[in-house]
Amino acid sequence: MIREATVKDAEQLSTLMADVEESNMMLFAPGEREISVDHQRKRMERLETEETSSIFVAEDNYKLVGYLFAIGNSPSRIKHRVYIVVGVRADYRGKGVGVQLFSRLEEWAKKRSIRCLELTVIEHNVPAVSLYKKIGFEVEGVKRDSLKIDGKFVNELYMSKLLSY
């Protein structure tokens, strides 16, 4: 089941985010960021007040297995776009959770006149790049050597999807 997160999800969401970071495919390295429940709760409370921001979660038997942050903007010239951060537990990848999260995001975005969804992804994260392309994202550019993972510079792809109404 996909739904918008509530502050009650802060503890499970913190744990899930730490689990997803173990993939070594996220901005933060495993264990690099302390995701305290209190910090998560405050972040969620702040996002709840923003019209063009939200957090969606995928739930299976009352357990969070995926998340998608839609981070909006308030300046009028960029209010039509949101930046996406998404993660799915390793044992749920390839089972449609990502597609479901993005589907729910698009429903939400259209109601808010969001036109552009954007994200970055590590270039060699082939499963994620394949998912994004499958659901209509296109590569707009390459951020060369933008991350340093395990002592090696890696590229990120900047991807976006334009929504039509």
Side-chain angles (χ1 to χ4, degrees), residues 15-51:
T15 302
L16 174 60
M17 290 176 71
D19 289 348
V20 169
E21 285 179 358
E22 292 299 318
S23 71
N24 210 25
M25 294 290 178
M26 303 300 283
L27 175 63
F28 289 93
E32 183 177 32
R33 172 174 55 169
E34 181 184 333
I35 309 171
S36 73
V37 175
D38 187 50
H39 178 265
Q40 190 67 264
R41 190 174 290 117
K42 288 177 183 174
R43 182 179 192 188
M44 295 173 82
E45 288 171 350
R46 188 179 71 249
L47 286 177
E48 282 181 352
T49 67
E50 297 176 12
E51 179 188 353

Side-chain angles (χ1 to χ4, degrees), residues 51-53 70-73 78-84 105-106 108-118 161-165:
E51 179 188 353
T52 58
S53 294
I71 304 165
N73 301 281
I78 58 172
K79 198 169 188 167
H80 66 281
R81 68 184 193 202
V82 295
Y83 184 79
I84 309 303
L105 166 69
E106 287 189 32
W108 171 89
K110 288 179 180 181
K111 291 177 184 173
R112 285 157 182 79
S113 300
I114 302 296
R115 170 93 167 118
C116 182
L117 307 176
E118 46 190 30
K161 179 178 181 175
L162 297 179
L163 302 178
S164 57
Y165 307 105

Side-chain angles (χ1 to χ4, degrees), residues 10-150:
E11 186 172 352
Q12 272 201 71
L13 184 57
S14 297
T15 302
L16 174 60
M17 290 176 71
D19 289 348
V20 169
E21 285 179 358
E22 292 299 318
S23 71
N24 210 25
M25 294 290 178
M26 303 300 283
L27 175 63
F28 289 93
E32 183 177 32
R33 172 174 55 169
E34 181 184 333
I35 309 171
S36 73
V37 175
D38 187 50
H39 178 265
Q40 190 67 264
R41 190 174 290 117
K42 288 177 183 174
R43 182 179 192 188
M44 295 173 82
E45 288 171 350
R46 188 179 71 249
L47 286 177
E48 282 181 352
T49 67
E50 297 176 12
E51 179 188 353
T52 58
S53 294
S54 192
I55 304 169
F56 300 93
V57 291
E59 188 176 48
D60 184 31
N61 291 321
Y62 305 104
K63 178 181 176 183
L64 298 187
V65 298
Y67 63 86
L68 186 151
F69 282 73
I71 304 165
N73 301 281
S74 54
S76 63
R77 292 183 178 186
I78 58 172
K79 198 169 188 167
H80 66 281
R81 68 184 193 202
V82 295
Y83 184 79
I84 309 303
V85 177
V86 63
V88 176
R89 283 179 53 95
D91 51 336
Y92 281 82
R93 292 183 195 135
K95 297 180 179 179
V97 173
V99 172
Q100 291 174 29
L101 283 165
F102 276 98
S103 178
R104 178 65 181 89
L105 166 69
E106 287 189 32
E107 292 170 15
W108 171 89
K110 288 179 180 181
K111 291 177 184 173
R112 285 157 182 79
S113 300
I114 302 296
R115 170 93 167 118
C116 182
L117 307 176
E118 46 190 30
L119 56 81
T120 57
V121 59
I122 296 172
E123 187 174 46
H124 65 264
N125 187 349
V126 176
V129 173
S130 296
L131 166 66
Y132 304 146
K133 286 181 177 180
K134 173 183 169 181
I135 59 176
F137 279 75
E138 296 180 23
V139 175
E140 287 198 12
V142 178
K143 295 173 71 174
R144 297 178 299 150
D145 288 356
S146 65
L147 299 174
K148 192 173 186 181
I149 299 175
D150 298 330

